[in-house]
Amino acid sequence: MNLLLKWKIWRIESALKNLVRAEGLKPMVWSFGAYYIDPKYLVFVVGVPTDTAKETLKSNSTFTASMKELLETFNWPIQARPEVVFDVESQETVDRENNGNWWYHYK
């Protein structure tokens, strides 16, 4: 089951990159969490260059809905879908708050 979930995560990350590129931005996308314990323990991070880009994406309800729809598209376990988190963060914020260290930013 873990390999299947890992494969689904990879496909969701790829689709997220395409969603962000469609908005005209160069994304960094990754995930973390203990999904192997329970699929609800999963966070997807969409990294964008600027605070302005972050706010634009976060305020775009269509983009937000499209991110969540990926869980259905790639058949993530139904009971876990409401708990999975999608976060949009900017390099500017990470630079300002954590000296550019994304790991510390999410620690």
Side-chain angles (χ1 to χ4, degrees):
M1 172 116 157
N2 288 344
L3 285 177
L4 179 61
L5 291 179
K6 207 167 179 78
W7 180 70
K8 289 178 183 185
I9 289 169
W10 178 82
R11 293 186 68 203
I12 293 168
E13 287 175 353
S14 294
L16 275 172
K17 287 178 187 175
N18 290 333
L19 282 176
V20 178
R21 285 185 188 120
E23 297 293 324
L25 298 167
K26 183 179 176 187
M28 297 180 293
V29 175
W30 68 94
S31 60
F32 64 91
Y35 64 89
Y36 47 86
I37 294 172
D38 191 321
K40 70 180 181 181
Y41 300 128
L42 179 62
V43 176
F44 289 98
V45 178
V46 176
V48 294
T50 65
D51 290 341
T52 304
K54 172 179 77 173
E55 293 308 318
T56 300
L57 290 180
K58 282 187 167 188
S59 65
N60 182 337
S61 58
T62 304
F63 178 78
T64 303
S66 295
M67 287 193 301
K68 294 210 175 263
E69 285 173 9
L70 293 174
L71 297 173
E72 183 177 343
T73 301
F74 295 105
N75 200 26
W76 197 253
I78 293 170
Q79 73 281 6
R81 292 176 192 171
E83 304 295 324
V84 174
V85 174
F86 289 87
D87 190 31
V88 179
E89 188 56 272
S90 74
Q91 184 67 54
E92 285 181 348
T93 298
V94 175
D95 288 345
R96 184 175 54 252
E97 295 178 3
N98 297 99
N99 295 322
N101 190 316
W102 285 88
W103 187 82
Y104 282 121
H105 190 72
Y106 279 97
K107 184 176 175 187

